[in-house]
Amino acid sequence: MNTRIYNVKILTMEEEKKIFTGEVWIEGDEITYVGAESKSTDLTWDRQIDGKGNLLMPGFKNAHTHSAMTFLRSHADDMKLDEWLHTRVFPAEAKLTEEDIYWLNKLAIMEYLTSGVTAAFDMYLNKPAAERTVKDTGFRMVLCESINDFGGTLEEVEEDYHRYNQDPSRLLSYQLGFHAEYTTSRTLMEGLAKIADKYQLPVYVHCSETKKEVEDCRTRTGMTPVAYMDSLGLFNYGGGIFHGVHMDEEDFTILKQRKMFEVTNPASNLKLASGIAPIKKYLDYKIPVAIGTDGPASNNCLDMFREMFLVTGLQKAICDDPEAVPAQEVLKMATVNGAHAMGLPECDVIAKGKKADLILIDLMQPNMQPLQNVEKNLVYSGSKQNVKMTMIAGKVLYQDGEFYLDSSKEEIFKKAQESAKRILG
């Protein structure tokens, strides 16, 4: 499939490259040309898309989520994290089947597409269900291992590393991780560190989300979660922490030295009253930051526009500094940094040789006018209503309110509702 997208303003997200008007050519799933409008007549197009002066940019990367938790949306709200997990979430998840997760993933993907998300770093149960979902929908997903004392073995982790990194299209890939320090024994963490060392892999984990989590770890080990996990060799090859709300100076130093990512989840942290991650401080330490929604049970939506605004707005408030975390930096977090955090450098910017994971933003909406600064409009006034098209690997999966998936939205809604009703009663 050869596709030409023309008559568009292009935000490539390359360093110091300004928005310009031009066109993008795509052959299969790869971008082959980005530049001014071409007069070439040598190419044959299977599809031409007139951007009508709107904005073409890289898709957002949801760098931490639990997609199939859509069945818990608005079921377990207004609760503390510990109570939320142990009395509502874990018991309900024990009833999930592979078929449930397959359809619940599809529901999440529909929401990702409407929010301009072209890849998700998904940390959830039943990887075969996720594999089926990716194969059937064409959505890009990176599976993040979530082994803990309640499920999974080190042997399965090593098998999964090989199994889920075989897709030549890279629509499906896999990264090493575990649920959290407080749910995982030292023996299991040390075993995971050995696998990371064997293959020189980064490791990802929920970390320092609540004060209680940090205090409990100090009581058990005499160290913060970051310092303790690093002492076990888990971060020898980098990786990332999800949340990173309650940190001390040593934690920042470790993350910088290990070249790790912070993946912030502002809406979820606010809703669970976990706190506000010190994003400006991460940037001061030159620790790269990516953005995730977390799951739809704790957020409750999968909207990257809301997350972007919260990232910058909350930092301005807690730092008493309106210049803190500017819009351009937030856009980089949501696109380039997210791609790198997930191990998808081929999906970070719009450039020749990169994957065609693109979104078209409707600038002809009141919230985008006047066009004084498009990047600031995206972060400060943008919303899902502005997403006209979401393309992944050169295929349009969503355009002008219509989904181009293997199942109808009515079927997906019906299946998701049936799962929720059976599990939750």
Side-chain angles (χ1 to χ4, degrees), residues 90 93 123-125 145-154 156-157 177-185 188-189 192 206:
F90 290 160
E93 287 180 331
M123 189 185 222
Y124 210 55
L125 312 167
E145 181 57 59
S146 60
I147 186 174
N148 56 69
D149 292 343
F150 307 101
T153 67
L154 294 171
E156 288 171 339
V157 168
F178 61 106
H179 179 261
E181 179 275 331
Y182 59 88
T183 57
T184 313
S185 69
L188 203 53
M189 285 189 277
L192 202 64
H206 292 107

Side-chain angles (χ1 to χ4, degrees), residues 200-413:
Q200 300 185 7
L201 298 175
V203 175
Y204 301 82
V205 62
H206 292 107
C207 181
S208 302
E209 186 173 357
T210 66
K211 287 181 180 178
K212 183 179 185 301
E213 174 193 341
V214 176
E215 291 166 359
D216 287 352
C217 186
R218 282 189 190 276
T219 299
R220 285 192 303 271
T221 70
M223 292 179 273
T224 66
V226 171
Y228 176 55
M229 291 185 288
D230 185 58
S231 75
L232 301 180
L234 283 158
F235 303 141
N236 289 350
Y237 295 94
I241 61 170
F242 306 129
H243 302 295
V245 176
H246 301 281
M247 308 284 284
D248 67 14
E249 296 300 329
E250 182 188 10
D251 295 336
F252 289 111
T253 300
I254 290 170
L255 293 184
K256 183 176 182 179
Q257 289 175 342
R258 296 301 189 188
K259 298 181 180 179
M260 295 180 68
F261 287 86
E262 150 68 0
V263 182
T264 187
N265 309 264
S268 174
N269 292 156
L270 284 175
K271 183 167 173 283
L272 290 168
S274 299
I276 300 170
I279 299 306
K280 185 176 184 301
K281 195 155 190 176
Y282 283 107
L283 297 181
D284 290 342
Y285 270 85
K286 300 191 184 308
I287 297 166
V289 177
I291 302 173
T293 60
D294 209 353
S298 64
N299 188 312
N300 292 9
C301 68
L302 303 170
D303 184 347
M304 287 294 283
F305 287 93
R306 184 168 78 167
E307 302 300 325
M308 287 194 296
F309 180 81
L310 287 173
V311 167
T312 179
L314 289 171
Q315 295 309 298
K316 295 178 191 309
I318 66 172
C319 297
D320 194 24
D321 179 7
E323 296 180 353
V325 191
Q328 288 87 345
E329 187 67 41
V330 176
L331 271 183
K332 183 180 177 181
M333 295 176 190
T335 54
V336 177
N337 289 3
H340 293 173
M342 297 162 66
L344 296 173
E346 69 272 31
C347 302
D348 57 354
V349 299
I350 299 180
K352 184 177 179 180
K354 298 289 186 176
K355 296 293 186 183
D357 288 12
L358 311 171
I359 58 175
L360 187 65
I361 300 293
D362 189 352
L363 300 178
M364 308 307 166
Q365 295 282 343
N367 66 323
M368 284 289 166
Q369 296 290 327
L371 296 176
Q372 299 183 93
N373 188 306
V374 172
E375 291 151 298
K376 291 183 179 180
N377 280 0
L378 285 166
V379 174
Y380 295 132
S381 64
S383 77
K384 295 170 70 170
Q385 77 183 48
N386 299 114
V387 178
K388 280 185 67 66
M389 181 190 77
T390 303
M391 169 186 282
I392 299 173
K395 295 181 180 179
V396 174
L397 300 187
Y398 172 79
Q399 188 170 20
D400 294 326
E402 296 294 327
F403 297 92
Y404 298 95
L405 301 172
D406 65 307
S407 306
S408 69
K409 67 179 182 180
E410 290 81 11
E411 183 180 18
I412 295 171
F413 292 166

